[in-house]
Amino acid sequence: MAHVISDACIACGTCKDACPVGAIKEGTPYTIDAGTCVDCGACAGECPTSAIAPA
Ligand code: SF4
């Protein structure tokens, strides 16, 4: 299981700093490496556009 980032992402980078395992990669939109994500949900609460949700 992993969280995923939708097209609502504005590439602000806020979530990247919130991830404890470095699973979030820069881009437009940002992406989450499913093999690294531990599904903690820390990033979801930080996103200003609510673009991050459980897969
Ligand atoms: Fe990182 Fe947790 Fe978000 Fe997965 S759910 S990308 S481990 S902050």
Side-chain angles (χ1 to χ4, degrees):
M1 294 293 292
H3 274 54
V4 294
I5 301 176
S6 77
D7 288 346
C9 173
I10 57 172
C12 68
T14 304
C15 58
K16 192 166 185 252
D17 291 336
C19 180
V21 295
I24 300 177
K25 306 303 177 192
E26 292 181 22
T28 307
Y30 274 48
T31 55
I32 295 175
D33 182 75
T36 305
C37 176
V38 295
D39 224 20
C40 69
C43 54
E46 299 296 322
C47 180
T49 64
S50 300
I52 306 177

